[in-house]
Amino acid sequence: MEPIPLLTPYKMGQFDLAHRVVLAPLTRQRSYGNVPQTHAAVYYSQRATTGGLLIAEATGVSDTAQGYTDTPGIWTAEHVEAWKPIVAAVHAKGALFFCQIWHVGRVSTFELQPGGAAPLSSTEKGVGPQMSFDGHREEFSPPRRLTVEEIPAIVDDFRKAARNAIDAGFDGVEIHGANGYIIEQFLKDSANDRTDEYGGSLENRCRFALEVVDAVVKEVGGRRVGIRLSPFTDYMDCHDSDPHSLALYMSTKLNDHDILYIHMIEPRMAIVDGRRVVPKRLLPYREAFKGTFIANGGYDREEGSKVVTEGYTDLVAFGRLFLSNPDLPKRFEIGAELNKYDRMTFYTSDPVVGYTDYPFLE
């Protein structure tokens, strides 16, 4: 039987992938006190397959990077040591493991910042209230605009976090430049109201992101670095008046740094004849970027195979489907029914329920 396109091999730089189904980075809030826990080794190894690529949940680069309780960190020696057995468990299953490194910027509160300080951002404009999956209203504190002199320290936090991730055994790092967090707060003109060299023009708004990429690449090598971008989304009040130009500029400029991959989020799904359809607007950026391209955004088995066949993307990242189906590649292979995910357990602190208890086919 011919393998479905999602399950065909792919060479990503120096890495040989057995299939194109990628675990997307998913915040789970089960790293108590920002320290990764042993149950994460179970969770990730359940989803690991020989030659598969897993991207770890967003992982804070510093104590100012925190926006939610119990998200993992990678800025202390304790964090590095805690990650080591988790990475080892994934590698024991033959999978590759990248760490997504993250700073939330203004998506935070005084309570989560060191000394009760204001969250750091490109701007003094705050984020409006957000509704969580379980229906409660999330409020964020007014941010403080970083001075030009302070920005290099944030860039250096990303560099150090990348080094720590490699020291913990990860195969590489993914810079989180999406979803309304600090890098997007610089990239997008709805949030970036600066008038210095980090604001105004497209080149200036992209400066911080590219400085982070440059620092991380110099530290661990471009062949171990990816970046996640979401030019068309409006997460956390972050949107851009010209997302196409932003995406094209970043996709082109990233070639200068010879990074391994871009992981880009599709615009919102459309409903056609009662079925969710991917808008598929990412082709110009896939063509502009010379490395591996990962598409993310509501794909299923059929749509994922279609975009691989068409050459629209190299790999497809799956979030909620992989969360609820630890053996997702196997289910895709045989066309098995999928477990339904439970939104109410996405962000609880339970080390088992909604985390490691989703059933396998067996």
Side-chain angles (χ1 to χ4, degrees), residues 105-108 110 117-127 140-146 185:
R106 66 181 183 171
V107 186
S108 188
F110 299 138
L120 303 174
S121 184
S122 64
T123 179
E124 291 174 353
K125 290 192 288 186
V127 188
F140 301 100
S141 301
R144 178 174 73 78
R145 184 194 310 268
L146 285 159
Q185 291 158 33

Side-chain angles (χ1 to χ4, degrees), residues 65-105:
Q66 305 309 303
Y68 307 91
T69 56
D70 297 333
T71 54
I74 192 78
W75 74 90
T76 71
E78 181 186 12
H79 297 149
V80 173
E81 290 306 309
W83 272 116
K84 283 180 179 178
I86 302 168
V87 177
V90 169
H91 284 160
K93 297 281 286 288
L96 294 163
F97 204 13
F98 273 53
C99 181
Q100 190 188 63
I101 52 177
W102 182 42
H103 193 301
V104 300

Side-chain angles (χ1 to χ4, degrees), residues 184-196:
E184 254 201 6
Q185 291 158 33
F186 278 88
L187 288 174
K188 291 188 172 178
D189 57 17
S190 73
N192 188 338
D193 56 358
R194 302 177 73 96
T195 57
D196 55 29

Side-chain angles (χ1 to χ4, degrees), residues 306-353:
K306 188 163 181 272
V307 291
V308 168
T309 302
E310 292 171 347
Y312 175 81
T313 189
D314 300 305
L315 310 173
V316 181
F318 294 87
R320 289 168 235 181
L321 292 187
F322 220 152
L323 178 157
S324 56
N325 295 275
D327 51 358
L328 187 65
K330 184 66 178 175
R331 288 175 188 258
F332 280 169
E333 181 186 352
I334 64 175
E337 186 178 353
L338 300 181
N339 300 323
K340 290 182 168 54
Y341 51 80
D342 179 4
R343 291 176 182 270
M344 301 301 284
T345 60
F346 282 179
Y347 304 118
T348 67
S349 60
D350 195 292
V352 175
V353 178

Side-chain angles (χ1 to χ4, degrees), residues 247-257 262 284-285 288-289:
L248 194 59
Y249 182 85
M250 283 296 292
S251 300
T252 304
K253 293 298 288 184
L254 286 165
N255 290 323
D256 297 343
H257 300 275
I262 288 179
Y285 325 116
F289 180 64

